[in-house]
Amino acid sequence: MKSWMRWVLLIGGGLVAAAFIGAGVLTWLVLRLDVRAEVERAVEAGTGRDVTIAGDVGVSYWPVLGLRAHDVTLSNVEGGRAPSFIAADEIDIGVEIRPLFDRQVVVRRLVLQHPQMALEVDAEGQTNWALTPVRADGPAPPPSTTPTQASRTTLREVRVMNGEVSYFDARNGSGWVVGDVDVSTAFDGMNEPVRLAGSVLYADQRVELEVEVARPGAAMRGELTPVTLKIESELLTAEFQGQTISGAGEIVGTVRADGPSLRRLAAWMGTPIRGGVGFESFAVSGRLQISDGAYSFSNAGFGLDSVRGRGDFVLSERAGRPYLSGRLELFDFDLNPYLSGEAPQQTPSAELAAAAAAPDTAQRDAAAEIAAVAQEPAARAIDVREAPSATPIDFSGLKAFDADIELVTAVVLVQRMRIDSSRLNLVLNEGYLAATMHNMALYGGSGRGRFEIDARDANSTRIVQDMAFNGLDARRFLTDAINFSNIEGRAEVSLNVRTQGRTQSEFLAALNGRTHIEVVSGTLHGVDLGGVSTTIRNALRGELIAPEARTEFLGFSSTFAIYNGVLATDDLSFNTADLRIPGIGLIDVPNRRLDMRLAPRSPRGGVVVPFSVRGPWGRFEYASDIRDTAQREILPRVRAVEAAQRSGN
């Protein structure tokens, strides 16, 4: 045999022999002690709880060198929900060998195999993890002639293998369970920082953790202590730095968090976002307080999909649904994807995280993005040049979460309409939305009012609007709103309407209420009404009705009664420098038809002819009404609509 192999065998054999000798010595040292009683007594004195070792107690060679106890439980508080605070199949206790010769146990390491820990908060907010050492009135008698000196325990590491941790808060009936807990700690004492690292399994998602608690003893007693936390998982990356503020698991500090999908994260946490589109990539940065299951953010920047903003708000759970309250300031964003049911454009979570950390910079970036978005076409709720759609409109996004917030916005795109700024109070509850607009800037003017959308019934959605707009650029406003660009001037519009249905055509056919419009110092494009009223034959030949024709006017106003989508007026007034033109008329929105009779009067004299404007939208016919034929046909229909609207039938 070669010499090097001989040396290997000799050295290996010596090591094996030494290991067997060491194991024998360790076994002899442990058997000299009443380990079960000493461990139970030491733990009970240190925690104030009963500890029971129902299984065997002996020597451990792996994963630590020391003692091993099976079937160990630490009692829960009186009246606790779980039968025990901690229950472990096996506890391996790593000890120093030298003190065993003096019948002393100096613990260096603990390994808990398959432990179950039940964290609880009772109805009064008291926790079950605040441990109180036993304090005797006088000196305690020695448990044996040579007692184990538990006070000399110097624990350096605790490891949990394949454990389970549960939490239950009796104040709100909520809780959670994490399994497959595999963590270890670097431990220098109850008044020194403890560092924990490892992973847990929650709802089938692996979560990597790094935690540092500055004073674990203080935390166990519910006292103030700094905490640092890092989380890495497929759904969430987060960093928290702050402190505990009570023994009930409440913490406060600064947080930075982001992830690829808020929708998936909410479902993972047990409060799913139902219906709608979006709610994917997200980020938040700011001051966070966690208390009673609520996440309170202050001075926070945030991003969601392509929306960015800042504010002070609270995220919590109500009746199993996400609930948002507080005050939000939203930077420029496009609302159309959420209205159309098409998935909104996504911003990478890393980019959102940078925007959340610097909201002022994000606001400037959002302003540049909305300018580009505004150039892209979007569908209108009403388009006078297109037949109404029979496709059901998806309002399920209103059931995604509940809210009670004050909302301040910069530029917002709604279909093709652009709102420059607004402030509103918004309440959202299980598909019912109510919003009160305090001030809104748009198209050079302002707006205010209230609207409601009730989508709680899956078969029919009810919409109510009570809005007033002043000083609008009429041409831009009507072009973006209904694709009608023939009126130019400054407009005032009021709407008090209601409707219900599932599709655009149903909403238009069920439209009821009243509206008033007034335009001053403007131009009517596409027709010369002065020429039509004096030369009706030319109008019939189309000479005065053309894209380049125009009518300058001093003012135009009308109040319309609305019933089943038909607008009726008997007080239409159109005034030019030379004519006063009152009129009556009907606008049948579902059937896209106009029937109107105008009766011009000239303050300066001259021949003017009453005439009618009738026909499908875009194909109007002008005709003389000297015999009042159109008057007799249109006026009764106007009166019928007005009566039906007043009665609400």
Side-chain angles (χ1 to χ4, degrees):
M1 184 180 294
K2 294 182 180 180
S3 59
W4 65 267
M5 186 175 296
R6 184 182 302 109
W7 282 108
V8 169
L9 291 176
L10 289 174
I11 293 173
L15 291 176
V16 170
F20 277 109
I21 293 172
V25 172
L26 177 61
T27 303
W28 175 76
L29 292 173
V30 170
L31 292 177
R32 297 170 64 227
L33 303 173
D34 184 5
V35 176
R36 184 193 308 271
E38 294 298 339
V39 170
E40 289 179 349
R41 186 177 295 108
V43 174
E44 290 172 0
T47 65
R49 305 282 181 87
D50 293 334
V51 64
T52 301
I53 303 176
D56 296 333
V57 177
V59 179
S60 168
Y61 303 105
W62 179 263
V64 297
L65 187 63
L67 310 178
R68 172 172 294 159
H70 292 85
D71 195 5
V72 181
T73 59
L74 183 65
S75 66
N76 203 351
V77 294
E78 184 177 353
R81 189 166 180 262
S84 59
F85 174 44
I86 298 176
D89 291 351
E90 179 182 309
I91 296 181
D92 297 293
I93 306 170
V95 299
E96 293 184 2
I97 302 301
R98 174 63 185 83
L100 290 176
F101 286 95
D102 299 326
R103 299 177 183 265
Q104 298 170 356
V105 178
V106 179
V107 179
R108 306 293 290 178
R109 188 182 183 203
L110 284 178
V111 177
L112 284 71
Q113 304 272 10
H114 310 294
Q116 294 180 332
M117 178 179 293
L119 306 176
E120 298 177 9
V121 182
D122 65 19
E124 285 71 41
Q126 299 297 316
T127 67
N128 73 334
W129 61 83
L131 304 178
T132 305
V134 175
R135 295 182 179 179
D137 296 334
S144 65
T145 56
T146 54
T148 302
Q149 296 184 16
S151 61
R152 292 187 57 186
T153 297
T154 55
L155 186 62
R156 297 300 181 188
E157 181 183 2
V158 176
R159 183 176 180 185
V160 175
M161 300 177 64
N162 193 21
E164 179 182 283
V165 179
S166 64
Y167 173 83
F168 180 78
D169 191 336
R171 294 171 297 182
N172 50 37
S174 64
W176 46 257
V177 177
V178 296
D180 199 10
V181 179
D182 192 351
V183 297
S184 61
T185 67
F187 194 80
D188 293 323
M190 296 300 286
N191 292 317
E192 299 295 331
V194 58
R195 289 166 292 279
L196 179 149
S199 66
V200 301
L201 189 69
Y202 176 72
D204 297 325
Q205 287 286 336
R206 176 64 59 183
V207 181
E208 302 292 333
L209 297 172
E210 291 185 24
V211 183
E212 180 173 320
V213 180
R215 294 186 300 128
M220 296 292 285
R221 296 188 298 271
E223 299 175 3
L224 189 69
T225 186
V227 176
T228 301
L229 170 66
K230 293 183 180 180
I231 297 175
E232 288 282 349
S233 72
E234 180 183 344
L235 298 179
L236 177 67
T237 299
E239 294 184 9
F240 174 84
Q241 191 167 32
Q243 52 191 201
T244 63
I245 59 174
S246 79
E250 300 175 2
I251 60 175
V252 62
T254 58
V255 66
R256 296 182 64 175
D258 62 84
S261 174
L262 182 61
R263 186 179 293 273
R264 291 173 57 200
L265 179 65
W268 180 61
M269 297 179 67
T271 53
I273 298 173
R274 305 186 187 279
V277 296
F279 300 98
E280 297 297 338
S281 56
F282 70 93
V284 64
S285 178
R287 186 169 178 81
L288 168 67
Q289 179 174 337
I290 302 176
S291 176
D292 295 334
Y295 299 79
S296 302
F297 293 88
S298 56
N299 195 28
F302 62 87
L304 177 63
D305 298 330
S306 58
V307 182
R308 301 167 192 176
R310 59 189 168 199
D312 304 293
F313 55 94
V314 179
L315 284 171
S316 59
E317 179 268 340
R318 188 174 68 177
R321 297 161 53 81
Y323 177 64
L324 174 67
S325 60
R327 184 181 188 274
L328 300 179
E329 178 184 356
L330 300 183
F331 306 150
D332 305 354
F333 76 100
D334 183 5
L335 191 57
N336 288 316
Y338 304 95
L339 299 176
S340 65
E342 299 179 1
Q345 181 180 357
Q346 294 297 308
T347 301
S349 56
E351 184 177 330
L352 281 182
D360 292 335
T361 301
Q363 185 174 19
R364 292 194 297 270
D365 293 343
E369 290 176 7
I370 203 71
V373 173
Q375 298 174 5
E376 300 178 4
R380 299 176 175 86
I382 301 176
D383 191 333
V384 298
R385 304 183 189 278
E386 300 288 341
S389 171
T391 302
I393 299 174
D394 184 9
F395 287 97
S396 62
L398 298 181
K399 299 179 181 180
F401 63 95
D402 295 340
D404 185 356
I405 58 176
E406 179 185 358
L407 191 61
V408 178
T409 72
V411 174
V412 178
L413 295 183
V414 184
Q415 295 164 345
R416 297 201 182 186
M417 295 182 63
R418 176 187 172 107
I419 301 172
D420 296 318
S421 65
S422 66
R423 184 172 68 86
L424 68 154
N425 290 95
L426 184 146
V427 174
L428 184 59
N429 184 24
E430 296 185 355
Y432 170 77
L433 181 148
T436 302
M437 313 284 295
H438 298 289
N439 53 61
M440 183 166 53
L442 70 169
Y443 297 98
S446 62
R448 66 185 186 281
R450 176 181 172 84
F451 68 88
E452 301 176 17
I453 302 176
D454 188 349
R456 289 174 291 187
D457 184 349
N459 298 317
S460 182
T461 297
R462 184 175 66 91
I463 299 176
V464 177
Q465 290 191 43
D466 186 2
M467 305 289 294
F469 303 94
N470 300 295
L472 303 180
D473 181 325
R475 191 171 199 179
R476 289 198 300 126
F477 174 71
L478 294 174
T479 298
D480 288 346
I482 62 173
N483 200 15
F484 183 74
S485 58
N486 289 28
I487 294 180
E488 184 177 352
R490 307 304 298 183
E492 293 186 6
V493 181
S494 65
L495 288 168
N496 189 336
V497 297
R498 64 188 184 278
T499 187
Q500 64 181 32
R502 295 183 306 158
T503 68
Q504 184 187 59
S505 58
E506 290 177 359
F507 285 126
L508 295 179
L511 192 64
N512 292 283
R514 301 185 71 82
T515 184
H516 176 80
I517 182 170
E518 184 172 344
V519 185
V520 297
S521 302
T523 302
L524 178 64
H525 294 268
V527 63
D528 178 0
L529 288 181
V532 170
S533 63
T534 57
T535 318
I536 193 66
R537 285 187 305 171
N538 289 340
L540 292 173
R541 293 199 302 268
E543 296 177 4
L544 300 174
I545 307 167
E548 64 273 11
R550 46 195 287 143
T551 303
E552 304 287 344
F553 63 85
L554 302 176
F556 162 74
S557 67
S558 182
T559 299
F560 291 90
I562 309 172
Y563 182 72
N564 286 352
V566 179
L567 285 71
T569 179
D570 61 1
D571 68 350
L572 187 148
S573 176
F574 192 94
N575 301 319
T576 71
D578 300 317
L579 295 172
R580 303 292 181 266
I581 309 177
I584 60 173
L586 295 155
I587 303 174
D588 189 337
V589 177
N591 295 311
R592 305 176 65 246
R593 179 180 174 84
L594 174 71
D595 288 282
M596 191 165 289
R597 198 257 191 185
L598 302 174
R601 302 187 183 97
S602 174
R604 301 176 183 177
V607 178
V608 290
V609 179
F611 62 94
S612 64
V613 186
R614 310 185 73 175
W617 291 354
R619 301 194 304 273
F620 298 149
E621 295 182 358
Y622 291 75
S624 169
D625 195 40
I626 295 177
R627 300 180 182 274
D628 293 336
T629 302
Q631 171 89 354
R632 289 192 296 272
E633 292 179 0
I634 294 173
L635 187 57
R637 294 170 57 196
V638 170
R639 296 287 184 243
V641 171
E642 291 176 336
Q645 188 276 321
R646 284 194 299 269
S647 65
N649 297 326

